[in-house]
Amino acid sequence: YTNEGVLTLSTLADASTSQKYYDTNEGDSKRLNVANEDGLLKAKQSLLLFDLSYVAKTLPVVSLAKLRIYCVVGSESGAAGIVLKKMASTNFTEYDVSWSTMPGGDGQDEPVVAFVDTLESNQWYDIDVTAAVLDALKNQESYLGLRLTTDGSDSIDVYFGSKERLNEPPTLIV
């Protein structure tokens, strides 16, 4: 919906992927999981997809874009944070994507657009993703894919609300 030059976009698709259960799809889950446990196959990433076509047609200038996301289960104080990356490819669907089919593999080569340090449970976060939105619009990309992952150095296991959570879905505010 729009409000005085501000658009709030619902998530087109979102899903968690698991390195351990690499062929499992979690697109219908109410939670988006981001995790890492050093030395074990415990990496989990979440993917978010937004349709930017209306933004390109409606807003002449984008000065700020924020991912608004609800942290259901946070990290311990001082623990590792999460990294947000702009996905190189947005060719996935919520009900088909798994670790083994993620576009861009594990996303190692994708650009980091944001980092969030400590994540507290039951808290909303507005994360600046302006650079990712501007890059997608500049390259005339119809969709923006955001990958929520870890930097891989510390153990972390956090959960965010997915679009299946009625009162706590992620949105993109442009």
Side-chain angles (χ1 to χ4, degrees):
Y1 65 90
T2 182
N3 176 18
E4 296 177 28
V6 175
L7 290 175
T8 300
L9 305 176
S10 298
T11 314
L12 189 61
D14 62 14
S16 292
T17 62
S18 168
Q19 186 179 19
K20 185 174 183 181
Y21 303 105
Y22 58 88
D23 280 334
T24 302
N25 171 266
E26 296 182 34
D28 59 355
S29 175
K30 291 185 176 187
R31 301 192 311 179
L32 297 169
N33 192 196
V34 178
N36 183 59
E37 195 167 330
D38 204 26
L40 301 172
L41 287 178
K42 292 278 180 96
K44 292 182 181 173
Q45 296 183 357
S46 290
L47 311 178
L48 301 171
L49 187 64
F50 295 95
D51 184 345
L52 294 180
S53 57
Y54 189 70
V55 174
K57 292 176 197 162
T58 314
L59 296 178
V61 175
V62 171
S63 56
L64 181 63
K66 295 182 286 189
L67 172 67
R68 175 167 283 170
I69 194 162
Y70 188 76
C71 185
V72 180
V73 178
S75 57
E76 297 169 17
S77 181
I82 62 161
V83 175
L84 280 76
K85 294 184 169 191
K86 179 182 181 279
M87 294 180 70
S89 169
T90 56
N91 189 19
F92 72 92
T93 65
E94 178 168 354
Y95 299 108
D96 290 334
V97 72
S98 65
W99 187 273
S100 60
T101 64
M102 279 192 298
D106 64 4
Q108 291 263 330
D109 300 333
E110 295 171 344
V112 172
V113 294
F115 180 81
V116 182
D117 237 350
T118 303
L119 292 154
E120 294 183 27
S121 298
N122 304 311
Q123 178 83 36
W124 282 100
Y125 287 88
D126 287 346
I127 305 166
D128 188 335
V129 293
T130 308
V133 171
L134 290 175
D135 186 65
L137 293 172
K138 182 184 83 166
N139 293 308
Q140 299 179 334
E141 297 167 15
S142 299
Y143 300 98
L144 172 67
L146 294 174
R147 181 186 309 266
L148 280 62
T149 185
T150 67
D151 67 7
S153 63
D154 292 314
S155 294
I156 187 172
D157 194 4
V158 295
Y159 291 90
F160 298 95
S162 76
K163 73 182 189 71
E164 282 73 20
R165 272 179 98 93
L166 196 56
N167 298 319
E168 298 152 353
T171 56
L172 183 65
I173 302 166
V174 185

